[in-house]
Amino acid sequence: MKVNNRFAAGAASVLAMTAGLATGQAALAQSEENAWFQAGQAEIEAKLARQPITGTAKNVIIFLADGNGVATNYAARIFQGQQKGGYGDDNVMHKESLPYLALSKTYNTNAQTPDSAGTAVAFMSGIKTKSGVIGVDETLRRGECADVEAATIPSIGDFAAESGRSVGIVSTARVTHATPSAVYANAADRDYETDVDQPEDCAVPDIAAQLMENMESGTVDLVLGGGRRNFVPAEVEDPEGASGRRGDGHNMWQEATDAGYQMAWDNETFAALALDHSAPVLGLFESSHMAYEHDRDNEPSIQEMTEAAITYLANNEEGYFLLVEGGRVDHANHDGNAYRSMTDGVAFDEAVAKAVEMTNQEDTLIVVTADHGHAMAFNGYCGRGSPIEGLCLSIDNNGEKHLDDPEIAADGKPYTAIGYLNGTGSIVTEQVDGTYFGTRPMLTQEEATDPDYIQQAMLPQSAESHSPVDVAIYASGPWAHLFDGTVEQNYIYHVMRKAFEGE
Ligand SMILES: [Zn+2]
C-alpha cells in the first residue's frame, strides 16, 4: 500500500508525542488495522477503478423524490439503517451507492425558495423558469393562458418520443401534479389540473386533457400513479366509488377504456396489466394522491410500479425515458410528520434498487435527485443509535451506543432528533386573546416515536415550507460522470439529453 509521506510523518509525530511511540512505522501499522482506515483505503481503490461510460444511452430513468433535500435524505438514511438493526448513520442507501454525485441549486427565476413546478421545468426542459408554472419559460405571466403558446418549451419526454423511444411516468402523487405534468404539459399554472381549475376564458387544455392528448398521440405510453378524479366528470363515480372533478362532462377514464388502453385502479387490476407494450397503460390507484407507504392498502408500491414500468418500456428496442416520482416525501414534510417522509423515502430507495437491478449501466442512465429541500432540521447532541424518529438520547462517553437518558433542553424538557423550522407543530400557539405564546409541551419517547407524531416546529404555519438548500444528484450509466460539483438544476436535463444523443 502506498501512503502519502506527509500524512505518514504527521500522524507519526502526533502519535509519538501522545503515546510515546518510538517510530513512525509502528504508528502506521496500528492505523492500518483500524476498520475505518481500511474502509477509506478501499474507497480509494473503488474510485480509481471507476471508468466513465461514454456510449449512447438507450434508456434514461430519472428518480425524483419530491422535497427530499439533504436533510430529509439524511433522516431516511438513518431510518432505513435502524430498520435493518444498525445505528443508522453508517447505512448506505441504494441511491447513495451510485458512483457519481453533484449538488443541485434549486431556486426558480423569481423565487429563492422554489416550488415543485418551476423546479420540474428545470430538470425536464433544461431552463429555469418561474415558480408555479409548467412547461413554459419565464416570459409567461403566471396564470395567463394567453401567454402559454409563446412561452412553451419541449421536455426531455418530447425529445425521447421524437427519437422513437417510449415514455413512462410513475408517481405516488396525482399524475397531473407539478412534477409528472412537466413531462407532457404546458400550463400557465400548476393548479390547472382540470377544466374547473382554469379561468373560464382559458383556451389551453387543462393538464389532465393534455395528458390524454399525449397518450393518444403516442408521446406518453405508460402512466401509473394517483389522481383519477381529474379524468372523470363530477356526476360520475370512478371504479372505486369516488366522484370525479371535471365540469365539462368529459369522461376520459371511460374513453381510455373504450380505446383499449390497459387500465388499473387496485392491486388486482394492476397485477392483470399486460406489460407487452401492445396498448398504452393507464393505472390510477387513488382519486387524489396515492396513499403514504405507511398507510398503503390495495394499491401497488412505488417499487412495484417501477418494475412494471421498466418491464413494459423495455419492449421498445429504441429505448425509453421514465420518470419515477416519490411524490409524498414532500407532503409528509408539509404535514410536519417526519415518520411518513422517512417511510416514503425508504420506499423510494427500494424503487431505485429495483431499477438498478433490472437495467444495464452500459446503456441506461439513472439519475436520482430531488426538486427542493424542506425546513427540516436536526438537534444535538444525540448518541449513536438514537431513534431518528424519536427523542435525542445522550452520548455514552465510554462506548458507542447512546445512553437511555434523553438530552434535556434549558426548559427542562426532552426533545426529538428531528425538528422543523415552521409548520403545524409550532410551539408558538394562538391564545384566547389572539396573541401568540410559545412553550414546549413535555414529551415522552412513546409519543415521539408514534407514526402520527408531528415534530415540534418554530414558526406557526398551516403547512411546513420548502427550503432553498441544495439537493443531491446521484447517477450511474452513460455520461453520469458529468454530474460533478455544484450545478444549476436545469443542467440535469442537459446531461440526460447528452446521454440520449451520445458522442
Ligand atoms: Zn411541496
Side-chain angles (χ1 to χ4, degrees), residues 66 116 330 334 372 374 466:
D66 198 314
S116 294
D330 179 68
H334 282 307
H372 56 76
H374 267 272
H466 295 175

Side-chain angles (χ1 to χ4, degrees), residues 221-239:
D221 304 273
L222 169 139
V223 176
L224 298 171
R228 271 192 317 257
R229 67 186 194 189
N230 294 331
F231 300 87
V232 176
E235 60 276 13
V236 174
E237 282 188 1
D238 72 17

